[in-house]
Amino acid sequence: MKIKNLIWSILVIPSLISSCQPAKKAVEESDTKPNVVVIYLDDLGYGDLSSYGATELQTPNIDALAEGGNRFTNAYASSATCTPSRYALLTGSYPWRNKEAKILRGSAPLIIGTDQPTLPKMMQANGYYTGVVGKWHLGLGAGDLDWNKHITPGPNEVGFDYSYVMAATQDRVPTVFIDNGDVVGLDPNDPIEVNYNENFEGQPTGLENPELCRLKWHHGHNGTIVNGIPRIGFMKGGENAKWEDETMSGHFLALAQKFVRDHKEKPFFLYYALQQPHVPRTPNPAFVGKSGMGARGDVILEADWTIGEFMKTMKEEGLLENTLIVFSSDNGPVLNDGYNDEAVEKLGNHNPSGPLRGGKYSLFEAGTRIPFITYWKGKIQPQESDALLCQMDLMASIAQLIGIEAPKTDSQNQLSALLGESKIGRENLIIEATSRTAIRQGDWLMIPPYKAKAVNELVNIELGNAPEFQLYNLKEDEGEQTNLATSNPEKLKEMLESFETLRGKDYSKIEKIELK
């Protein structure tokens, strides 16, 4: 039996048994400081939840958070891709300030400085036990990483007492889990080798051996084949350590449940980063075909079930009345992101972007405006808020929550808005998409000119690029159909001045996006 299946048996079965037990009250010490849980999905769009208007998909467990908490309609990830958004959430800093905060290889070095302020460090220094479970994708090590030794620096060196992560994404090698810096299930006699430039002799790839692939690649994903799925990059060895794709979501769930059970006696911070609905979409067999939309719809339903199970555990352990739960996604949606998994063909009437334009990789609204919900039983009253917020603001807001001074970063204290005590959020926000930036201010969005393709044909998404300035009144034109840059020069001037004050004037230096 592979080690992950053994862990699954050890962790999940007790969790199922415990669901029949009466709720327990967490010890009084944890009542003095609220716990904080951030539930973070991957590539979930603004229109992918029934609580955000989806009619073809029903997500009752996430909807329960929205119905019992504060559902935000103007909340943003910092960026339209994963690594930069995660960087902003954990550091409270704009990712465009760090040139390494871009989509990373699985072998990339850690991009958060070990001396840099972070949200988990802040919590750790104030009596919290901190943990991360799930997707990392912020780099590991300091370069020339040896996967067969203890991996450092990593999550543990930037504030997490406990970390159980995948290095990057489900579609990138190495396809192994890392438990507090050590590869899970590694056989010293079968060492792991990883290369992102060239393949290892004799290793099958999606490009050369398509007959070995149960999931066919469309673009970019034609490297080493693991579990019948071609990945980005090349990997050799580590056979016993390789994960099982279809049980990954349940595996992370069991670990998140165990984390809150084991650490409920003192205040804790958990960053629970699900891998869904990012590619490759590999639903557990119990969810295959349930959505009628192919694998993408199925894994959204699985993620919703997973969150429901996690919330049951929180309730059983008596933690809901003393825990701020934040639910969100790292960026907007994408259908075909490198595999032929019928996400496009079976979409039907569903619109993952909802009323918004664009998607993942885009400066248009659907790239960075995401579902965002705060829930705290008995503390946050059910409501909807149009306050302008960014995930980057969690650091300063949580500092206010626990009564400390926040580190000096780009994070802003929006605790009153998060708790539903105010409808006022940020004045403005710089958003980013693959090194291109724009500004949201009040009801307006301004995108400066960029010399780049208007549409990425591989993923069929409008990127927000144009040779001229773009100016949209989002209150009156949520779908960004009418460019007012020419007809409203005064507003354009005002927006450009704000943008250049915050961003500087070197914003036209952009990098070419590579979908691999």
Side-chain angles (χ1 to χ4, degrees):
M1 178 185 288
K2 287 186 176 181
I3 190 164
K4 51 249 184 209
N5 293 329
L6 176 61
I7 294 173
W8 170 262
S9 301
I10 292 171
L11 296 177
V12 172
I13 293 174
S15 76
L16 295 176
I17 294 172
S18 70
S19 66
C20 301
Q21 304 300 320
K24 293 168 283 190
K25 179 65 177 173
V27 297
E28 291 183 3
E29 184 177 352
S30 68
D31 289 341
T32 61
K33 289 183 179 180
N35 308 305
V36 178
V37 175
V38 175
I39 302 174
Y40 211 47
L41 269 71
D42 196 352
D43 293 356
L44 185 80
Y46 190 86
D48 274 327
L49 305 174
S50 36
S51 48
Y52 276 79
T55 57
E56 308 303 302
L57 279 176
Q58 296 300 311
T59 50
N61 295 296
I62 300 171
D63 293 352
L65 296 177
E67 292 162 6
N70 197 354
R71 186 183 79 95
F72 290 87
T73 59
N74 270 311
Y76 289 76
S78 73
S79 309
T81 52
C82 47
T83 296
S85 292
R86 292 162 197 272
Y87 178 87
L89 186 152
L90 293 180
T91 67
S93 298
Y94 277 122
W96 45 264
R97 299 192 190 279
N98 181 345
K99 65 180 181 179
E100 301 303 322
K102 54 189 176 184
I103 304 173
L104 296 179
R105 299 178 168 198
S107 58
L110 180 67
I111 64 169
I112 299 176
T114 55
D115 59 348
Q116 186 173 353
T118 68
L119 174 56
K121 271 188 190 177
M122 182 185 79
M123 306 294 278
Q124 199 176 50
N126 287 277
Y128 280 76
Y129 190 85
T130 58
V132 53
V133 171
K135 175 177 172 177
W136 181 239
H137 209 188
L138 289 161
L140 294 166
D144 299 321
L145 186 61
D146 186 345
W147 299 93
N148 307 289
K149 297 179 180 178
H150 182 71
I151 298 166
T152 185
N156 301 97
E157 285 68 44
V158 295
F160 288 106
D161 294 300
Y162 170 75
S163 71
Y164 192 105
V165 299
M166 66 164 83
T169 56
Q170 194 180 342
D171 57 346
R172 286 173 171 82
V173 299
T175 52
V176 297
F177 296 128
I178 302 163
D179 183 356
N180 287 312
D182 297 310
V183 172
V184 177
L186 180 63
D187 181 353
N189 297 314
D190 184 24
I192 294 173
E193 295 181 70
V194 173
N195 193 310
Y196 270 76
N197 296 316
E198 57 185 31
N199 191 24
F200 300 98
E201 186 176 353
Q203 287 292 111
T205 67
L207 180 63
E208 297 175 343
N209 306 94
E211 73 282 358
L212 300 179
C213 301
R214 62 184 171 99
L215 184 59
K216 305 300 183 183
W217 62 278
H218 179 269
H219 61 269
H221 300 73
N222 55 19
T224 295
I225 302 168
V226 180
N227 301 335
I229 301 172
R231 317 283 170 149
I232 300 173
F234 307 102
M235 175 182 175
K236 181 181 179 182
E239 289 301 319
N240 193 53
K242 290 177 180 176
W243 64 50
E244 185 177 279
D245 293 88
E246 283 75 12
T247 61
M248 183 181 291
S249 184
H251 186 62
F252 287 149
L253 166 63
L255 291 163
Q257 290 171 317
K258 187 175 188 300
F259 179 90
V260 300
R261 290 192 186 104
D262 289 352
H263 302 289
K264 65 182 180 180
E265 295 183 1
K266 292 184 178 181
F268 63 80
F269 167 68
L270 175 63
Y271 171 44
Y272 179 20
L274 284 72
Q275 88 283 8
Q276 294 163 326
H278 194 282
V279 296
R281 296 149 184 154
T282 53
N284 185 281
F287 293 91
V288 173
K290 296 299 182 182
S291 69
M293 292 183 193
R296 186 176 187 275
D298 294 345
V299 298
I300 290 174
L301 296 187
E302 183 178 8
D304 180 73
W305 176 87
T306 298
I307 290 165
E309 293 301 296
F310 178 77
M311 291 300 294
K312 285 180 185 177
T313 299
M314 293 290 291
K315 180 179 180 180
E316 290 158 8
E317 301 302 327
L319 293 166
L320 291 181
E321 291 82 4
N322 194 42
T323 304
L324 170 63
I325 295 171
V326 180
F327 170 90
S328 197
S329 173
D330 64 351
N331 51 248
V334 59
L335 295 175
N336 180 347
D337 206 19
Y339 294 101
N340 292 310
D341 63 0
E342 298 186 298
V344 176
E345 293 83 354
K346 292 187 175 181
L347 184 63
N349 294 321
H350 180 61
N351 185 352
S353 297
L356 308 179
R357 185 177 180 183
K360 183 177 180 179
Y361 312 113
S362 177
L363 279 175
F364 286 131
E365 284 291 278
T368 50
R369 202 198 301 189
I370 33 71
F372 190 102
I373 300 164
T374 54
Y375 178 91
W376 187 343
K377 186 176 180 181
K379 179 72 171 178
I380 296 176
Q381 299 305 309
Q383 60 190 284
E384 179 181 293
S385 175
D386 63 357
L388 177 60
L389 296 178
C390 181
Q391 295 162 0
M392 184 171 62
D393 297 328
L394 287 179
M395 179 183 281
S397 303
I398 292 172
Q400 176 72 19
L401 175 68
I402 63 178
I404 64 168
E405 185 175 346
K408 300 299 182 185
T409 65
D410 297 306
S411 183
Q412 295 183 7
N413 175 16
Q414 301 295 342
L415 182 63
S416 294
L418 292 175
L419 299 182
E421 297 166 355
S422 170
K423 300 291 186 181
I424 299 173
R426 279 179 161 265
E427 180 183 345
N428 50 39
L429 174 70
I430 300 293
I431 59 172
E432 184 263 345
T434 61
S435 78
R436 297 161 294 127
T437 47
I439 185 169
R440 171 75 198 269
Q441 183 165 285
D443 294 329
W444 296 81
L445 177 77
M446 189 278 290
I447 305 175
Y450 288 110
K451 295 178 181 179
K453 283 187 175 182
V455 176
N456 186 298
E457 293 86 358
L458 289 175
V459 294
N460 193 29
I461 288 175
E462 291 183 289
L463 300 176
N465 300 324
E468 67 279 349
F469 280 97
Q470 296 177 78
L471 179 68
Y472 300 100
N473 184 325
L474 299 175
K475 186 174 184 179
E476 298 176 357
D477 179 23
E478 193 172 33
E480 299 170 285
Q481 297 301 304
T482 305
N483 182 3
L484 302 175
T486 301
S487 61
N488 197 337
E490 295 83 5
K491 176 58 71 171
L492 177 61
K493 181 175 182 291
E494 174 192 327
M495 295 288 285
L496 181 59
E497 288 176 352
S498 295
F499 178 65
E500 291 185 343
T501 297
L502 292 168
R503 178 67 178 86
K505 296 186 177 183
D506 62 345
Y507 57 84
S508 60
K509 299 176 183 178
I510 62 174
E511 297 181 9
K512 183 180 178 181
I513 181 174
E514 294 186 52
L515 301 184
K516 67 175 185 178

